[in-house]
Amino acid sequence: CIAVMSNEVNIYAVGDMLKEHGWHVNVLQKPPAFHFCITAANAEGIESLLHDLKVAVETVHKDPGLASEGTAPIYGMASAVPDRGAVEDILAAAQDMMSRLPALNHTT
């Protein structure tokens, strides 16, 4: 597994962009980061992953406002709350809300 963090861009926005491209990253806190694992199942796609990561970093660097979209605000706020119990409650409520949204139909 590889963890990615940055002092230059909002790493949660970068992770959101990777998710939009089909990559599965897991968000980390303290410090803000995300990680992903390279396995036999996805090793052939590493060049594509590196390309998408580079594009995502460049895009977020050019448009810092992306940090206010997707899950970036949720995780960014959660990492700043000193009461970890409150963070668990907030994230559980957010996940509950997202799980109640209707599934998107990607077939056209």
Side-chain angles (χ1 to χ4, degrees):
C1 289
I2 299 169
V4 179
M5 61 180 284
S6 174
N7 293 323
E8 303 292 322
V9 297
N10 183 294
I11 202 66
Y12 300 132
V14 172
D16 283 345
M17 290 193 71
L18 288 174
K19 289 175 187 176
E20 290 175 11
H21 288 279
W23 300 105
H24 299 280
V25 299
N26 300 299
V27 176
L28 305 170
Q29 296 176 350
K30 297 195 180 279
F34 63 80
H35 79 274
F36 56 90
C37 294
I38 298 175
T39 66
N42 64 14
E44 290 181 13
I46 192 69
E47 293 296 325
S48 181
L49 170 64
L50 293 175
H51 172 266
D52 290 347
L53 177 60
K54 179 180 179 188
V55 170
V57 168
E58 290 171 350
T59 302
V60 174
H61 187 44
K62 289 178 186 172
D63 185 1
L66 292 171
S68 64
E69 300 175 7
T71 61
I74 294 170
Y75 288 105
M77 180 274 309
S79 66
V81 175
D83 180 355
R84 302 314 297 164
V87 170
E88 288 180 21
D89 293 343
I90 291 167
L91 292 178
Q95 288 176 340
D96 183 52
M97 177 196 68
M98 288 187 280
S99 70
R100 294 175 190 220
L101 295 174
L104 296 175
N105 184 354
H106 291 290
T107 58
T108 55

